[in-house]
Amino acid sequence: MPYITPAAPAAAGTPSLSHRELKDRLEALARIHRVPGAQLVLDTGGDVVDVHTGTADVTTGSPSPRTPRSRSDR
């Protein structure tokens, strides 16, 4: 499995990666690990950043939902 070097830490409250960069990394990881969809949610203490890619249901092809749902919600 390839290792992605983490970005240098940013000042408190300042994201070190843009939303687009996070989405690009998540899409790359989903392809590498051959998963149909993935979600990432980061709580920076001031903002919540959510990124999603792929499909939520491979049989219907429905896209990954914008709002993440934890396993405990099922």
Side-chain angles (χ1 to χ4, degrees):
M1 172 169 77
Y3 178 76
I4 297 176
T5 305
T14 305
S16 59
L17 294 173
S18 72
H19 189 272
R20 180 77 245 167
E21 290 169 319
L22 286 171
K23 185 166 178 67
D24 289 346
R25 286 188 181 201
L26 186 63
E27 288 172 349
L29 288 169
R31 274 192 310 276
I32 289 167
H33 295 284
R34 298 179 180 166
V35 295
Q39 294 178 331
L40 171 68
V41 178
L42 302 171
D43 183 350
T44 65
D47 293 316
V48 175
V49 179
D50 65 316
V51 182
H52 55 93
T53 186
T55 60
D57 187 334
V58 293
T59 57
T60 65
S62 63
S64 193
R66 177 109 174 102
T67 305
R69 187 176 84 171
S70 70
R71 290 187 186 274
S72 63
D73 292 340
R74 292 184 186 170

